[in-house]
Amino acid sequence: MKKSQLFLTFLTVPLLCCCAQSVNTTKDKGIFEYKEIYLSDALGQQGKELGLNSVDEDWGLWGHNLRRVLPLNHSSQVYATVEGQRTKEQFCFSSEQLYEYIANYIIDTYGENDTQRFAILANDNDLVCQCQLCRKAGNTPHNTSPTVLTMIERLARRFPRHLFFTSHYSTAKTVPAHRMPENTGVLVSAMDYPLCSVETEHDKRFENLLRQWGEKMNHVYVWDYINNFDDYFTPFPIFRIMQRRLQMYARCNVKGVFLNGSGSDYSTWQYIHTMVLADLLKNPDLDCAKLIKSHCEARYSKAGKLTADFMLKQEDWTAKRGKALPLYGGVSQAVNCYLPAKEFIDFHNAFAALVPETSGDERRVMDRLCRAMSLTRMELMRLSGDINGYQTYHDHLAALKGKNTEVYSESCWTVETYLKDYEEMAQHAAESKDHNLLLGKKLTALSNLDEEYNDIVILTDGLLGLPSNYHCGQMISSAKTALLIGVPRVPGMKKICVWTTRNTPCHILFPEKITLTCGGITIAEAIPEPTPSNADRSVAELYIPSTAKGDLVLHIIRNTQDRTMAIDEIESF
């Protein structure tokens, strides 16, 4: 659902430092000339001590930031022509003015003698300049590679000490036909290379892509991914997968690797991830199990062996499942492919029992980790339908607020909002369980369900979904017109309540309208409106006339202004 964000996650990181820095492009620090781990324990001085690089210090231009080279009163000639009109949404890479602005920026900010990296990338959209010069150079409405590569080559020859990068992404995916100057490179995203412990057809495909670029450019960099970006708190088994990939990157003579994680936000085992991956970036052939054990014992002396044993067990369990890890997913997806639920619960209980035996920094580190994993415990309870003991983990997780651990996803979903939604869900479940006539009853899908959201059982499980996180208890639908759901007749039914949620940043809106038909005749309709307690939750009440006979069908009509809608519970009283 958010695949397009994978590239943006890293490339939109702002440059915080504009000071001229000399770039080390040798291999004296390991196999790769550029190594970066985007986790908080690898940022700043800590990263330097581990021999890691940083976009803040090692790039003169990073990501989609070409606008930074433009002077205050710049020429409109730098902008693209699309359908005969100038647009500031994209650049014209045939523009002489744009070339001069980039050159002047380099000279004024970094000079010509040191070495710095510059990413010369089109803005992140599908617009391509179609002016006369760009079309003559080879641009098509969907391919800007010809003019971007020409700009890169021209800059590389003008500044032989600096490095200039294009990207393999969006409208710039064409490998150059000839060998480019030695000081050029490409940033290749691994977004289409699934995170999987076992070899698949994607391995050979990605390896071939890297080799194709390597034949034309001297500096091939890969940015890869080491987190579930919708859930930073559930343990993510990345080591076996990443070791295989780093070994392949080394075989392909890749010169640089970005490992994109949770950045400055907290994520479970971020320290162990940083330390082990930093070692593997220097030598991908090291014994990964020994590294995990060593760093766990150093970090959690009281629980070092316990933690390492679980991490290795999770790695093995995930490998046996052989499924690709979701970069955007909830705990239900985790349980399906990388989280052994029972083993995790046993580990969490044992880990929590050891926290009171610690003190100082060790106590602080273990306590934060233990509390963060309480979110996973609450989600496992919600998935099982047994939320009676949720208060313990609710209070445990609540203690994280204000400790730089409140945000648990790339979308800035917060612990505070999650707990508010969960509390409302638990309260409603307690109040309605003895009165809801549809609790546990089977609904019938009368129209196609979305492939990834086809579990209609959750609509009568008695638990409302959590509006702040679309993975939690909602059935997402992109039905073209309406989602049709057959409702069984139950004695005593007087009204049907349809609960829906919205998450505007994720393009999920309330349904436009909900109608109830009986025997093909409309007997009730309602327009969803926010509830008084939660602006992102709605309940539509549809009353059933005593004279209505025949099959009951809900028509949940999608608001076509956005992509999807979310239904989280259907009740009857």
Side-chain angles (χ1 to χ4, degrees):
M1 198 168 177
K2 297 182 183 176
K3 191 174 181 182
S4 64
Q5 291 182 344
L6 295 176
F7 182 79
L8 290 174
T9 300
F10 210 89
L11 287 191
T12 53
V13 173
L15 284 164
L16 302 180
C17 176
C18 292
C19 303
Q21 301 282 339
S22 179
V23 174
N24 180 4
T25 58
T26 66
K27 294 186 179 180
D28 59 355
K29 293 185 179 181
I31 290 176
F32 306 108
E33 70 183 25
Y34 189 97
K35 307 180 290 294
E36 180 158 5
I37 302 173
Y38 194 52
L39 293 170
S40 61
D41 281 317
L43 302 179
Q45 185 59 34
Q46 293 167 297
K48 291 180 181 179
E49 292 172 358
L50 293 171
L52 299 174
N53 297 89
S54 165
V55 294
D56 290 338
E57 298 185 4
D58 295 312
W59 291 81
L61 276 176
W62 169 254
H64 304 287
N65 288 305
L66 198 53
R67 64 187 182 280
R68 291 183 51 189
V69 309
L70 302 179
L72 186 61
N73 297 314
H74 57 271
S75 169
S76 64
Q77 299 296 312
V78 302
Y79 297 118
T81 299
V82 179
E83 295 183 352
Q85 300 294 322
R86 290 275 183 194
T87 172
K88 292 186 177 181
E89 299 300 312
Q90 191 53 268
F91 290 104
C92 170
F93 289 92
S94 295
S95 167
E96 186 66 24
Q97 290 86 346
L98 181 60
Y99 170 80
E100 291 296 334
Y101 290 150
I102 297 173
N104 290 337
Y105 173 82
I106 293 170
I107 293 169
D108 294 344
T109 312
Y110 299 96
E112 301 186 49
N113 294 322
D114 287 330
T115 301
Q116 188 57 283
R117 299 174 178 87
F118 298 90
I120 310 298
L121 310 183
N123 284 342
D124 188 41
N125 55 49
D126 59 2
L127 301 178
V128 176
C129 185
Q130 293 294 287
C131 73
Q132 184 176 359
L133 287 176
C134 284
R135 283 187 283 110
K136 184 177 180 180
N139 274 16
T140 70
H142 305 291
N143 182 14
T144 192
S145 291
T147 53
V148 171
L149 290 170
T150 298
M151 176 75 79
I152 295 268
E153 185 167 14
R154 188 177 178 189
L155 288 167
R157 298 191 187 284
R158 169 66 179 82
F159 299 100
R161 291 182 178 272
H162 291 305
L163 306 181
F164 296 91
F165 289 79
T166 182
S167 65
H168 180 88
Y169 175 71
S170 188
T171 59
K173 286 186 174 181
T174 303
V175 178
H178 63 276
R179 180 74 184 181
M180 297 284 282
E182 292 301 294
N183 58 325
T184 61
V186 61
L187 305 166
V188 181
S189 169
M191 68 165 66
D192 293 323
Y193 182 20
L195 290 173
C196 194
S197 298
V198 297
E199 187 172 346
T200 70
E201 71 276 6
H202 296 283
D203 291 76
K204 184 57 66 176
R205 192 178 304 158
F206 198 67
E207 182 173 346
N208 289 339
L209 176 64
L210 295 177
R211 292 190 185 280
Q212 288 173 27
W213 277 105
E215 291 174 358
K216 306 300 182 182
M217 286 187 164
N218 194 41
H219 300 272
V220 177
Y221 288 10
V222 176
W223 66 90
D224 217 325
Y225 306 93
I226 55 175
N227 270 109
N228 176 345
F229 294 96
D230 275 344
D231 182 3
Y232 291 155
F233 288 0
T234 297
F236 202 61
I238 198 65
F239 296 122
R240 181 177 296 192
I241 294 171
M242 196 50 61
Q243 183 170 39
R244 259 192 353 104
R245 290 158 89 94
L246 291 176
Q247 289 170 343
M248 186 260 277
Y249 299 161
R251 291 196 307 270
C252 293
N253 199 29
V254 166
K255 299 290 183 64
V257 179
F258 304 91
L259 298 181
N260 188 11
S262 59
S264 58
D265 294 322
Y266 180 86
S267 61
T268 297
W269 290 333
Q270 60 184 28
Y271 177 83
I272 306 300
H273 284 168
T274 296
M275 301 305 291
V276 173
L277 292 173
D279 289 336
L280 292 176
L281 281 168
K282 292 178 182 177
N283 182 357
D285 295 325
L286 292 174
D287 188 321
C288 198
K290 286 185 178 179
L291 293 176
I292 293 170
K293 292 176 182 177
S294 173
H295 289 301
C296 282
E297 289 172 3
R299 186 65 163 175
Y300 319 109
S301 61
K302 287 283 186 181
K305 184 178 185 304
L306 174 71
T307 304
D309 286 349
F310 174 73
M311 293 179 88
L312 292 170
K313 184 180 297 183
Q314 186 185 17
E315 292 276 336
D316 291 341
W317 189 88
T318 303
K320 289 178 181 177
R321 302 285 285 183
K323 297 182 178 181
L325 275 60
L327 292 175
Y328 290 95
V331 171
S332 59
Q333 287 91 345
V335 169
N336 186 45
C337 69
Y338 69 86
L339 183 72
K342 181 182 181 304
E343 288 82 353
F344 167 76
I345 292 171
D346 291 343
F347 162 72
H348 192 218
N349 288 339
F351 192 92
L354 292 174
V355 173
E357 299 180 15
T358 62
S359 60
D361 286 343
E362 184 179 13
R363 174 65 173 268
R364 176 185 57 79
V365 167
M366 287 183 58
D367 187 63
R368 171 184 279 186
L369 171 59
C370 190
R371 292 180 187 280
M373 289 190 291
S374 292
L375 185 143
T376 308
R377 292 295 297 271
M378 292 179 70
E379 277 298 280
L380 289 174
M381 286 188 291
R382 185 187 60 77
L383 288 175
S384 70
D386 181 10
I387 60 171
N388 293 325
Y390 85 95
Q391 194 65 51
T392 298
Y393 302 103
H394 178 286
D395 295 343
H396 207 71
L397 186 60
L400 286 178
K401 291 188 294 184
K403 293 187 178 181
N404 195 33
T405 341
E406 188 174 10
V407 171
Y408 69 93
S409 81
E410 177 190 78
S411 299
C412 296
W413 296 338
T414 66
V415 166
E416 181 178 12
T417 305
Y418 173 85
L419 293 175
K420 175 181 176 293
D421 289 348
Y422 207 102
E423 187 78 49
E424 185 175 339
M425 175 196 72
Q427 181 178 346
H428 181 82
E431 292 173 350
S432 64
K433 67 177 181 179
D434 295 329
H435 310 288
N436 179 11
L437 299 176
L438 285 179
L439 182 62
K441 295 294 189 293
K442 183 179 179 180
L443 304 176
T444 304
L446 301 176
S447 58
N448 292 332
L449 303 178
D450 285 27
E451 183 178 355
E452 295 182 6
Y453 299 93
N454 54 19
D455 185 11
I456 200 169
V457 173
I458 67 172
L459 299 185
T460 53
D461 63 358
L463 300 178
L464 300 179
L466 311 187
S468 60
N469 186 332
Y470 64 85
H471 294 298
C472 300
Q474 288 115 139
M475 191 174 78
I476 309 298
S477 174
S478 58
K480 289 184 178 180
T481 305
L483 177 65
L484 306 183
I485 297 177
V487 180
R489 283 278 192 174
V490 180
M493 293 175 69
K494 294 182 179 179
K495 70 174 179 179
I496 293 176
C497 296
V498 181
W499 292 84
T500 60
T501 65
R502 68 179 173 190
N503 191 320
T504 305
C506 297
H507 303 282
I508 300 171
L509 296 183
F510 290 144
E512 187 173 276
K513 185 170 66 173
I514 300 175
T515 63
L516 177 65
T517 63
C518 182
I521 300 172
T522 298
I523 58 173
E525 66 178 35
I527 296 175
E529 298 290 345
T531 64
S533 62
N534 195 323
D536 290 321
R537 190 190 297 284
S538 172
V539 58
E541 297 183 344
L542 300 112
Y543 289 86
I544 306 171
S546 59
T547 56
K549 305 295 181 183
D551 295 333
L552 296 174
V553 178
L554 285 166
H555 299 245
I556 306 173
I557 301 168
R558 183 169 70 85
N559 186 327
T560 56
Q561 293 181 8
D562 229 319
R563 292 199 296 255
T564 53
M565 59 185 177
I567 303 91
D568 63 318
E569 196 67 16
I570 297 176
E571 302 172 322
S572 182
F573 301 96

